[in-house]
Amino acid sequence: MPLLFGTIAVTACNNTQTPQEKMEVKEVKTFKARVGEGPIWDWKYKRLLWIDTQGSVYIYKTGEEKEIKIGKMVGTVVPYTEDTVIVGLQDGIYKLNLKTEQLTFMAAPEGGIEGNKYNDGKCDATGRLWIGTMDNNCAPKKANFFVYDGKEGHKVLDSVTISNGVAWSLDGTKMYYQDTPTLCVSQFDFNEEKGEISNRKEIIRIPDELGTPDGNTIDEEGMLWVANWGAACVTRWNPATGEMLQKIDVPALNVSALAFGGENLDELYITTSQLWMPEGEEKNYPEAGKLFVVKPGVKGIKCNYFNNGK
């Protein structure tokens, strides 16, 4: 069960004077990652999947928690079946059997670029995996963004630096995406039938005081949540107006990703990193690397499964 960490101030950001809310951000009693990332609620089996990019996949549910050590860098995990998930590793996309812990290679759509590894990814409503890459040292514009349907992978963007944060509008006509160092959230027109994106435009610019945008997720009202790396918070935005609606402080400087989960999809799980903090900051964030959860007052939506779990 989660352990209470503390009460965190949450500020509503708009043009009217609103009372400040108080919310409880809780530490989840589970593994502490070096670089926690990629949470996703596997609603069919009532469990949270998340990763340590340094080489582990975690499975968390009430009364059960498991770590699978991969031996390779991990960029993302998405649900597939009860016994199998899909992972993006440093050298390709694999199936991971949760019982035997065996990996089965599927594809490497980038073809192998020295120093690059697969990073954040999510599945669309048809079950295609949208996944990007990044250079180990964050070399600029060396990476790419792909769509993989289980048979073939196609490049949809090039000249990317750190591919992060994939989400869709509630009606499925827009995709939201982040190349982290740009400090912007991009919106594309999304053709679900063809698996194509077009008409890129920047809809949200993250101000300097809110760090850089890492992972993202959508809620049931169509608002976009962003993990703010380097700013110890997560934020909620209106993608139609670019307005920030809410900010929740997190007891870790480098906040990496977030996902709605729980029986009612009303819990927001937040991953954090204990690496890459400025010198001296470690003592200010002793809980960095832990998994946190908060009830933000809005619910999320169910995730999509790779190939729709078939």
Side-chain angles (χ1 to χ4, degrees), residues 125-148:
T126 72
R128 304 182 195 92
L129 175 62
W130 296 75
I131 186 168
T133 58
M134 64 174 288
D135 175 72
N136 283 319
N137 297 311
C138 304
K141 299 185 177 181
K142 185 185 170 188
N144 303 283
F145 186 45
F146 301 89
V147 57
Y148 173 62

mmCIF file with all atom_site columns, all heavy atoms in Angstrom, residues 125-148:
data_model
loop_
_atom_site.group_PDB
_atom_site.id
_atom_site.type_symbol
_atom_site.label_atom_id
_atom_site.label_alt_id
_atom_site.label_comp_id
_atom_site.label_asym_id
_atom_site.label_entity_id
_atom_site.label_seq_id
_atom_site.pdbx_PDB_ins_code
_atom_site.Cartn_x
_atom_site.Cartn_y
_atom_site.Cartn_z
_atom_site.occupancy
_atom_site.B_iso_or_equiv
_atom_site.pdbx_formal_charge
_atom_site.auth_seq_id
_atom_site.auth_comp_id
_atom_site.auth_asym_id
_atom_site.auth_atom_id
_atom_site.pdbx_PDB_model_num
ATOM 1   N N   . ALA A 1 125 ? -4.957 3.727  -30.700 1.00 0.00 ? 125 ALA A N   1
ATOM 2   C CA  . ALA A 1 125 ? -6.183 2.947  -30.505 1.00 0.00 ? 125 ALA A CA  1
ATOM 3   C C   . ALA A 1 125 ? -6.236 1.691  -31.366 1.00 0.00 ? 125 ALA A C   1
ATOM 4   O O   . ALA A 1 125 ? -6.999 0.763  -31.070 1.00 0.00 ? 125 ALA A O   1
ATOM 5   C CB  . ALA A 1 125 ? -7.406 3.820  -30.772 1.00 0.00 ? 125 ALA A CB  1
ATOM 6   N N   . THR A 1 126 ? -5.450 1.641  -32.431 1.00 0.00 ? 126 THR A N   1
ATOM 7   C CA  . THR A 1 126 ? -5.417 0.446  -33.272 1.00 0.00 ? 126 THR A CA  1
ATOM 8   C C   . THR A 1 126 ? -4.377 -0.564 -32.803 1.00 0.00 ? 126 THR A C   1
ATOM 9   O O   . THR A 1 126 ? -4.307 -1.668 -33.337 1.00 0.00 ? 126 THR A O   1
ATOM 10  C CB  . THR A 1 126 ? -5.117 0.811  -34.735 1.00 0.00 ? 126 THR A CB  1
ATOM 11  O OG1 . THR A 1 126 ? -3.741 1.199  -34.859 1.00 0.00 ? 126 THR A OG1 1
ATOM 12  C CG2 . THR A 1 126 ? -6.019 1.926  -35.223 1.00 0.00 ? 126 THR A CG2 1
ATOM 13  N N   . GLY A 1 127 ? -3.548 -0.176 -31.828 1.00 0.00 ? 127 GLY A N   1
ATOM 14  C CA  . GLY A 1 127 ? -2.518 -1.074 -31.311 1.00 0.00 ? 127 GLY A CA  1
ATOM 15  C C   . GLY A 1 127 ? -1.142 -0.858 -31.879 1.00 0.00 ? 127 GLY A C   1
ATOM 16  O O   . GLY A 1 127 ? -0.203 -1.607 -31.562 1.00 0.00 ? 127 GLY A O   1
ATOM 17  N N   . ARG A 1 128 ? -0.962 0.150  -32.753 1.00 0.00 ? 128 ARG A N   1
ATOM 18  C CA  . ARG A 1 128 ? 0.386  0.464  -33.249 1.00 0.00 ? 128 ARG A CA  1
ATOM 19  C C   . ARG A 1 128 ? 1.218  1.093  -32.133 1.00 0.00 ? 128 ARG A C   1
ATOM 20  O O   . ARG A 1 128 ? 0.719  1.892  -31.342 1.00 0.00 ? 128 ARG A O   1
ATOM 21  C CB  . ARG A 1 128 ? 0.327  1.452  -34.400 1.00 0.00 ? 128 ARG A CB  1
ATOM 22  C CG  . ARG A 1 128 ? -0.513 1.071  -35.593 1.00 0.00 ? 128 ARG A CG  1
ATOM 23  C CD  . ARG A 1 128 ? -0.397 2.175  -36.642 1.00 0.00 ? 128 ARG A CD  1
ATOM 24  N NE  . ARG A 1 128 ? -1.414 2.109  -37.679 1.00 0.00 ? 128 ARG A NE  1
ATOM 25  C CZ  . ARG A 1 128 ? -2.577 2.747  -37.644 1.00 0.00 ? 128 ARG A CZ  1
ATOM 26  N NH1 . ARG A 1 128 ? -2.874 3.530  -36.611 1.00 0.00 ? 128 ARG A NH1 1
ATOM 27  N NH2 . ARG A 1 128 ? -3.444 2.622  -38.627 1.00 0.00 ? 128 ARG A NH2 1
ATOM 28  N N   . LEU A 1 129 ? 2.505  0.801  -32.120 1.00 0.00 ? 129 LEU A N   1
ATOM 29  C CA  . LEU A 1 129 ? 3.432  1.403  -31.168 1.00 0.00 ? 129 LEU A CA  1
ATOM 30  C C   . LEU A 1 129 ? 4.139  2.589  -31.817 1.00 0.00 ? 129 LEU A C   1
ATOM 31  O O   . LEU A 1 129 ? 4.782  2.446  -32.858 1.00 0.00 ? 129 LEU A O   1
ATOM 32  C CB  . LEU A 1 129 ? 4.476  0.379  -30.714 1.00 0.00 ? 129 LEU A CB  1
ATOM 33  C CG  . LEU A 1 129 ? 5.589  0.898  -29.791 1.00 0.00 ? 129 LEU A CG  1
ATOM 34  C CD1 . LEU A 1 129 ? 5.024  1.421  -28.481 1.00 0.00 ? 129 LEU A CD1 1
ATOM 35  C CD2 . LEU A 1 129 ? 6.631  -0.191 -29.538 1.00 0.00 ? 129 LEU A CD2 1
ATOM 36  N N   . TRP A 1 130 ? 4.019  3.760  -31.179 1.00 0.00 ? 130 TRP A N   1
ATOM 37  C CA  . TRP A 1 130 ? 4.737  4.963  -31.597 1.00 0.00 ? 130 TRP A CA  1
ATOM 38  C C   . TRP A 1 130 ? 5.890  5.141  -30.612 1.00 0.00 ? 130 TRP A C   1
ATOM 39  O O   . TRP A 1 130 ? 5.669  5.325  -29.411 1.00 0.00 ? 130 TRP A O   1
ATOM 40  C CB  . TRP A 1 130 ? 3.803  6.168  -31.593 1.00 0.00 ? 130 TRP A CB  1
ATOM 41  C CG  . TRP A 1 130 ? 2.700  6.037  -32.597 1.00 0.00 ? 130 TRP A CG  1
ATOM 42  C CD1 . TRP A 1 130 ? 1.590  5.243  -32.504 1.00 0.00 ? 130 TRP A CD1 1
ATOM 43  C CD2 . TRP A 1 130 ? 2.621  6.686  -33.870 1.00 0.00 ? 130 TRP A CD2 1
ATOM 44  N NE1 . TRP A 1 130 ? 0.816  5.376  -33.630 1.00 0.00 ? 130 TRP A NE1 1
ATOM 45  C CE2 . TRP A 1 130 ? 1.418  6.249  -34.483 1.00 0.00 ? 130 TRP A CE2 1
ATOM 46  C CE3 . TRP A 1 130 ? 3.436  7.596  -34.538 1.00 0.00 ? 130 TRP A CE3 1
ATOM 47  C CZ2 . TRP A 1 130 ? 1.025  6.693  -35.744 1.00 0.00 ? 130 TRP A CZ2 1
ATOM 48  C CZ3 . TRP A 1 130 ? 3.031  8.047  -35.796 1.00 0.00 ? 130 TRP A CZ3 1
ATOM 49  C CH2 . TRP A 1 130 ? 1.846  7.592  -36.391 1.00 0.00 ? 130 TRP A CH2 1
ATOM 50  N N   . ILE A 1 131 ? 7.108  5.080  -31.118 1.00 0.00 ? 131 ILE A N   1
ATOM 51  C CA  . ILE A 1 131 ? 8.279  5.057  -30.241 1.00 0.00 ? 131 ILE A CA  1
ATOM 52  C C   . ILE A 1 131 ? 9.424  5.855  -30.871 1.00 0.00 ? 131 ILE A C   1
ATOM 53  O O   . ILE A 1 131 ? 9.631  5.809  -32.088 1.00 0.00 ? 131 ILE A O   1
ATOM 54  C CB  . ILE A 1 131 ? 8.713  3.596  -29.954 1.00 0.00 ? 131 ILE A CB  1
ATOM 55  C CG1 . ILE A 1 131 ? 9.838  3.536  -28.917 1.00 0.00 ? 131 ILE A CG1 1
ATOM 56  C CG2 . ILE A 1 131 ? 9.073  2.847  -31.236 1.00 0.00 ? 131 ILE A CG2 1
ATOM 57  C CD1 . ILE A 1 131 ? 10.107 2.126  -28.389 1.00 0.00 ? 131 ILE A CD1 1
ATOM 58  N N   . GLY A 1 132 ? 10.139 6.582  -30.028 1.00 0.00 ? 132 GLY A N   1
ATOM 59  C CA  . GLY A 1 132 ? 11.256 7.389  -30.512 1.00 0.00 ? 132 GLY A CA  1
ATOM 60  C C   . GLY A 1 132 ? 12.579 6.929  -29.950 1.00 0.00 ? 132 GLY A C   1
ATOM 61  O O   . GLY A 1 132 ? 12.654 5.984  -29.163 1.00 0.00 ? 132 GLY A O   1
ATOM 62  N N   . THR A 1 133 ? 13.632 7.599  -30.374 1.00 0.00 ? 133 THR A N   1
ATOM 63  C CA  . THR A 1 133 ? 14.974 7.293  -29.892 1.00 0.00 ? 133 THR A CA  1
ATOM 64  C C   . THR A 1 133 ? 15.636 8.550  -29.353 1.00 0.00 ? 133 THR A C   1
ATOM 65  O O   . THR A 1 133 ? 15.100 9.656  -29.446 1.00 0.00 ? 133 THR A O   1
ATOM 66  C CB  . THR A 1 133 ? 15.842 6.698  -31.026 1.00 0.00 ? 133 THR A CB  1
ATOM 67  O OG1 . THR A 1 133 ? 15.907 7.634  -32.116 1.00 0.00 ? 133 THR A OG1 1
ATOM 68  C CG2 . THR A 1 133 ? 15.279 5.383  -31.523 1.00 0.00 ? 133 THR A CG2 1
ATOM 69  N N   . MET A 1 134 ? 16.796 8.358  -28.769 1.00 0.00 ? 134 MET A N   1
ATOM 70  C CA  . MET A 1 134 ? 17.630 9.463  -28.298 1.00 0.00 ? 134 MET A CA  1
ATOM 71  C C   . MET A 1 134 ? 19.065 8.972  -28.232 1.00 0.00 ? 134 MET A C   1
ATOM 72  O O   . MET A 1 134 ? 19.334 7.772  -28.134 1.00 0.00 ? 134 MET A O   1
ATOM 73  C CB  . MET A 1 134 ? 17.180 9.955  -26.918 1.00 0.00 ? 134 MET A CB  1
ATOM 74  C CG  . MET A 1 134 ? 17.313 8.932  -25.814 1.00 0.00 ? 134 MET A CG  1
ATOM 75  S SD  . MET A 1 134 ? 16.954 9.581  -24.152 1.00 0.00 ? 134 MET A SD  1
ATOM 76  C CE  . MET A 1 134 ? 18.401 10.615 -23.869 1.00 0.00 ? 134 MET A CE  1
ATOM 77  N N   . ASP A 1 135 ? 20.003 9.897  -28.304 1.00 0.00 ? 135 ASP A N   1
ATOM 78  C CA  . ASP A 1 135 ? 21.414 9.575  -28.152 1.00 0.00 ? 135 ASP A CA  1
ATOM 79  C C   . ASP A 1 135 ? 21.732 9.448  -26.670 1.00 0.00 ? 135 ASP A C   1
ATOM 80  O O   . ASP A 1 135 ? 21.178 10.164 -25.821 1.00 0.00 ? 135 ASP A O   1
ATOM 81  C CB  . ASP A 1 135 ? 22.268 10.676 -28.781 1.00 0.00 ? 135 ASP A CB  1
ATOM 82  C CG  . ASP A 1 135 ? 23.745 10.463 -28.559 1.00 0.00 ? 135 ASP A CG  1
ATOM 83  O OD1 . ASP A 1 135 ? 24.320 9.549  -29.177 1.00 0.00 ? 135 ASP A OD1 1
ATOM 84  O OD2 . ASP A 1 135 ? 24.326 11.204 -27.745 1.00 0.00 ? 135 ASP A OD2 1
ATOM 85  N N   . ASN A 1 136 ? 22.625 8.530  -26.315 1.00 0.00 ? 136 ASN A N   1
ATOM 86  C CA  . ASN A 1 136 ? 23.004 8.326  -24.915 1.00 0.00 ? 136 ASN A CA  1
ATOM 87  C C   . ASN A 1 136 ? 23.504 9.603  -24.255 1.00 0.00 ? 136 ASN A C   1
ATOM 88  O O   . ASN A 1 136 ? 23.319 9.792  -23.043 1.00 0.00 ? 136 ASN A O   1
ATOM 89  C CB  . ASN A 1 136 ? 24.105 7.257  -24.815 1.00 0.00 ? 136 ASN A CB  1
ATOM 90  C CG  . ASN A 1 136 ? 23.547 5.860  -24.982 1.00 0.00 ? 136 ASN A CG  1
ATOM 91  O OD1 . ASN A 1 136 ? 22.484 5.528  -24.466 1.00 0.00 ? 136 ASN A OD1 1
ATOM 92  N ND2 . ASN A 1 136 ? 24.264 5.031  -25.733 1.00 0.00 ? 136 ASN A ND2 1
ATOM 93  N N   . ASN A 1 137 ? 24.125 10.475 -25.038 1.00 0.00 ? 137 ASN A N   1
ATOM 94  C CA  . ASN A 1 137 ? 24.653 11.729 -24.501 1.00 0.00 ? 137 ASN A CA  1
ATOM 95  C C   . ASN A 1 137 ? 23.824 12.935 -24.937 1.00 0.00 ? 137 ASN A C   1
ATOM 96  O O   . ASN A 1 137 ? 24.291 14.072 -24.866 1.00 0.00 ? 137 ASN A O   1
ATOM 97  C CB  . ASN A 1 137 ? 26.108 11.903 -24.938 1.00 0.00 ? 137 ASN A CB  1
ATOM 98  C CG  . ASN A 1 137 ? 27.004 10.821 -24.377 1.00 0.00 ? 137 ASN A CG  1
ATOM 99  O OD1 . ASN A 1 137 ? 26.968 10.535 -23.176 1.00 0.00 ? 137 ASN A OD1 1
ATOM 100 N ND2 . ASN A 1 137 ? 27.796 10.199 -25.234 1.00 0.00 ? 137 ASN A ND2 1
ATOM 101 N N   . CYS A 1 138 ? 22.615 12.656 -25.396 1.00 0.00 ? 138 CYS A N   1
ATOM 102 C CA  . CYS A 1 138 ? 21.673 13.714 -25.804 1.00 0.00 ? 138 CYS A CA  1
ATOM 103 C C   . CYS A 1 138 ? 22.221 14.581 -26.930 1.00 0.00 ? 138 CYS A C   1
ATOM 104 O O   . CYS A 1 138 ? 21.950 15.793 -26.984 1.00 0.00 ? 138 CYS A O   1
ATOM 105 C CB  . CYS A 1 138 ? 21.277 14.588 -24.609 1.00 0.00 ? 138 CYS A CB  1
ATOM 106 S SG  . CYS A 1 138 ? 20.567 13.665 -23.237 1.00 0.00 ? 138 CYS A SG  1
ATOM 107 N N   . ALA A 1 139 ? 22.991 13.976 -27.831 1.00 0.00 ? 139 ALA A N   1
ATOM 108 C CA  . ALA A 1 139 ? 23.490 14.728 -28.981 1.00 0.00 ? 139 ALA A CA  1
ATOM 109 C C   . ALA A 1 139 ? 22.313 15.285 -29.764 1.00 0.00 ? 139 ALA A C   1
ATOM 110 O O   . ALA A 1 139 ? 21.336 14.582 -30.011 1.00 0.00 ? 139 ALA A O   1
ATOM 111 C CB  . ALA A 1 139 ? 24.334 13.822 -29.872 1.00 0.00 ? 139 ALA A CB  1
ATOM 112 N N   . PRO A 1 140 ? 22.382 16.548 -30.174 1.00 0.00 ? 140 PRO A N   1
ATOM 113 C CA  . PRO A 1 140 ? 21.223 17.176 -30.816 1.00 0.00 ? 140 PRO A CA  1
ATOM 114 C C   . PRO A 1 140 ? 20.893 16.608 -32.190 1.00 0.00 ? 140 PRO A C   1
ATOM 115 O O   . PRO A 1 140 ? 21.783 16.315 -32.994 1.00 0.00 ? 140 PRO A O   1
ATOM 116 C CB  . PRO A 1 140 ? 21.622 18.651 -30.904 1.00 0.00 ? 140 PRO A CB  1
ATOM 117 C CG  . PRO A 1 140 ? 23.114 18.666 -30.823 1.00 0.00 ? 140 PRO A CG  1
ATOM 118 C CD  . PRO A 1 140 ? 23.486 17.505 -29.972 1.00 0.00 ? 140 PRO A CD  1
ATOM 119 N N   . LYS A 1 141 ? 19.605 16.446 -32.427 1.00 0.00 ? 141 LYS A N   1
ATOM 120 C CA  . LYS A 1 141 ? 19.022 16.121 -33.736 1.00 0.00 ? 141 LYS A CA  1
ATOM 121 C C   . LYS A 1 141 ? 19.605 14.862 -34.375 1.00 0.00 ? 141 LYS A C   1
ATOM 122 O O   . LYS A 1 141 ? 19.671 14.727 -35.588 1.00 0.00 ? 141 LYS A O   1
ATOM 123 C CB  . LYS A 1 141 ? 19.162 17.315 -34.676 1.00 0.00 ? 141 LYS A CB  1
ATOM 124 C CG  . LYS A 1 141 ? 18.440 18.558 -34.163 1.00 0.00 ? 141 LYS A CG  1
ATOM 125 C CD  . LYS A 1 141 ? 18.479 19.696 -35.160 1.00 0.00 ? 141 LYS A CD  1
ATOM 126 C CE  . LYS A 1 141 ? 17.673 20.888 -34.635 1.00 0.00 ? 141 LYS A CE  1
ATOM 127 N NZ  . LYS A 1 141 ? 17.647 22.019 -35.581 1.00 0.00 ? 141 LYS A NZ  1
ATOM 128 N N   . LYS A 1 142 ? 19.972 13.906 -33.529 1.00 0.00 ? 142 LYS A N   1
ATOM 129 C CA  . LYS A 1 142 ? 20.532 12.655 -34.016 1.00 0.00 ? 142 LYS A CA  1
ATOM 130 C C   . LYS A 1 142 ? 19.496 11.526 -34.028 1.00 0.00 ? 142 LYS A C   1
ATOM 131 O O   . LYS A 1 142 ? 19.725 10.475 -34.611 1.00 0.00 ? 142 LYS A O   1
ATOM 132 C CB  . LYS A 1 142 ? 21.722 12.259 -33.128 1.00 0.00 ? 142 LYS A CB  1
ATOM 133 C CG  . LYS A 1 142 ? 22.482 11.029 -33.573 1.00 0.00 ? 142 LYS A CG  1
ATOM 134 C CD  . LYS A 1 142 ? 23.544 10.674 -32.548 1.00 0.00 ? 142 LYS A CD  1
ATOM 135 C CE  . LYS A 1 142 ? 24.151 9.300  -32.856 1.00 0.00 ? 142 LYS A CE  1
ATOM 136 N NZ  . LYS A 1 142 ? 25.042 8.832  -31.794 1.00 0.00 ? 142 LYS A NZ  1
ATOM 137 N N   . ALA A 1 143 ? 18.360 11.754 -33.382 1.00 0.00 ? 143 ALA A N   1
ATOM 138 C CA  . ALA A 1 143 ? 17.389 10.690 -33.160 1.00 0.00 ? 143 ALA A CA  1
ATOM 139 C C   . ALA A 1 143 ? 16.187 10.811 -34.083 1.00 0.00 ? 143 ALA A C   1
ATOM 140 O O   . ALA A 1 143 ? 16.092 11.737 -34.897 1.00 0.00 ? 143 ALA A O   1
ATOM 141 C CB  . ALA A 1 143 ? 16.950 10.699 -31.697 1.00 0.00 ? 143 ALA A CB  1
ATOM 142 N N   . ASN A 1 144 ? 15.247 9.865  -33.922 1.00 0.00 ? 144 ASN A N   1
ATOM 143 C CA  . ASN A 1 144 ? 14.097 9.767  -34.818 1.00 0.00 ? 144 ASN A CA  1
ATOM 144 C C   . ASN A 1 144 ? 12.862 9.309  -34.048 1.00 0.00 ? 144 ASN A C   1
ATOM 145 O O   . ASN A 1 144 ? 12.940 8.903  -32.886 1.00 0.00 ? 144 ASN A O   1
ATOM 146 C CB  . ASN A 1 144 ? 14.395 8.763  -35.939 1.00 0.00 ? 144 ASN A CB  1
ATOM 147 C CG  . ASN A 1 144 ? 15.639 9.115  -36.726 1.00 0.00 ? 144 ASN A CG  1
ATOM 148 O OD1 . ASN A 1 144 ? 15.623 10.003 -37.566 1.00 0.00 ? 144 ASN A OD1 1
ATOM 149 N ND2 . ASN A 1 144 ? 16.744 8.425  -36.452 1.00 0.00 ? 144 ASN A ND2 1
ATOM 150 N N   . PHE A 1 145 ? 11.722 9.327  -34.734 1.00 0.00 ? 145 PHE A N   1
ATOM 151 C CA  . PHE A 1 145 ? 10.449 8.903  -34.166 1.00 0.00 ? 145 PHE A CA  1
ATOM 152 C C   . PHE A 1 145 ? 9.785  7.957  -35.165 1.00 0.00 ? 145 PHE A C   1
ATOM 153 O O   . PHE A 1 145 ? 9.766  8.241  -36.371 1.00 0.00 ? 145 PHE A O   1
ATOM 154 C CB  . PHE A 1 145 ? 9.576  10.133 -33.906 1.00 0.00 ? 145 PHE A CB  1
ATOM 155 C CG  . PHE A 1 145 ? 8.281  9.881  -33.187 1.00 0.00 ? 145 PHE A CG  1
ATOM 156 C CD1 . PHE A 1 145 ? 8.220  9.065  -32.070 1.00 0.00 ? 145 PHE A CD1 1
ATOM 157 C CD2 . PHE A 1 145 ? 7.104  10.492 -33.619 1.00 0.00 ? 145 PHE A CD2 1
ATOM 158 C CE1 . PHE A 1 145 ? 7.025  8.840  -31.398 1.00 0.00 ? 145 PHE A CE1 1
ATOM 159 C CE2 . PHE A 1 145 ? 5.900  10.281 -32.962 1.00 0.00 ? 145 PHE A CE2 1
ATOM 160 C CZ  . PHE A 1 145 ? 5.865  9.456  -31.846 1.00 0.00 ? 145 PHE A CZ  1
ATOM 161 N N   . PHE A 1 146 ? 9.268  6.819  -34.665 1.00 0.00 ? 146 PHE A N   1
ATOM 162 C CA  . PHE A 1 146 ? 8.788  5.747  -35.531 1.00 0.00 ? 146 PHE A CA  1
ATOM 163 C C   . PHE A 1 146 ? 7.384  5.296  -35.138 1.00 0.00 ? 146 PHE A C   1
ATOM 164 O O   . PHE A 1 146 ? 6.944  5.490  -34.008 1.00 0.00 ? 146 PHE A O   1
ATOM 165 C CB  . PHE A 1 146 ? 9.713  4.517  -35.416 1.00 0.00 ? 146 PHE A CB  1
ATOM 166 C CG  . PHE A 1 146 ? 11.137 4.781  -35.780 1.00 0.00 ? 146 PHE A CG  1
ATOM 167 C CD1 . PHE A 1 146 ? 12.048 5.201  -34.819 1.00 0.00 ? 146 PHE A CD1 1
ATOM 168 C CD2 . PHE A 1 146 ? 11.573 4.621  -37.086 1.00 0.00 ? 146 PHE A CD2 1
ATOM 169 C CE1 . PHE A 1 146 ? 13.367 5.452  -35.153 1.00 0.00 ? 146 PHE A CE1 1
ATOM 170 C CE2 . PHE A 1 146 ? 12.902 4.869  -37.428 1.00 0.00 ? 146 PHE A CE2 1
ATOM 171 C CZ  . PHE A 1 146 ? 13.796 5.289  -36.461 1.00 0.00 ? 146 PHE A CZ  1
ATOM 172 N N   . VAL A 1 147 ? 6.720  4.635  -36.080 1.00 0.00 ? 147 VAL A N   1
ATOM 173 C CA  . VAL A 1 147 ? 5.502  3.884  -35.787 1.00 0.00 ? 147 VAL A CA  1
ATOM 174 C C   . VAL A 1 147 ? 5.759  2.438  -36.212 1.00 0.00 ? 147 VAL A C   1
ATOM 175 O O   . VAL A 1 147 ? 6.314  2.179  -37.284 1.00 0.00 ? 147 VAL A O   1
ATOM 176 C CB  . VAL A 1 147 ? 4.270  4.479  -36.501 1.00 0.00 ? 147 VAL A CB  1
ATOM 177 C CG1 . VAL A 1 147 ? 4.457  4.549  -38.010 1.00 0.00 ? 147 VAL A CG1 1
ATOM 178 C CG2 . VAL A 1 147 ? 3.011  3.686  -36.148 1.00 0.00 ? 147 VAL A CG2 1
ATOM 179 N N   . TYR A 1 148 ? 5.348  1.493  -35.335 1.00 0.00 ? 148 TYR A N   1
ATOM 180 C CA  . TYR A 1 148 ? 5.591  0.063  -35.575 1.00 0.00 ? 148 TYR A CA  1
ATOM 181 C C   . TYR A 1 148 ? 4.283  -0.690 -35.377 1.00 0.00 ? 148 TYR A C   1
ATOM 182 O O   . TYR A 1 148 ? 3.654  -0.611 -34.318 1.00 0.00 ? 148 TYR A O   1
ATOM 183 C CB  . TYR A 1 148 ? 6.659  -0.441 -34.607 1.00 0.00 ? 148 TYR A CB  1
ATOM 184 C CG  . TYR A 1 148 ? 6.879  -1.927 -34.643 1.00 0.00 ? 148 TYR A CG  1
ATOM 185 C CD1 . TYR A 1 148 ? 7.327  -2.561 -35.803 1.00 0.00 ? 148 TYR A CD1 1
ATOM 186 C CD2 . TYR A 1 148 ? 6.644  -2.712 -33.510 1.00 0.00 ? 148 TYR A CD2 1
ATOM 187 C CE1 . TYR A 1 148 ? 7.530  -3.929 -35.837 1.00 0.00 ? 148 TYR A CE1 1
ATOM 188 C CE2 . TYR A 1 148 ? 6.856  -4.078 -33.530 1.00 0.00 ? 148 TYR A CE2 1
ATOM 189 C CZ  . TYR A 1 148 ? 7.294  -4.688 -34.696 1.00 0.00 ? 148 TYR A CZ  1
ATOM 190 O OH  . TYR A 1 148 ? 7.491  -6.050 -34.741 1.00 0.00 ? 148 TYR A OH  1
#
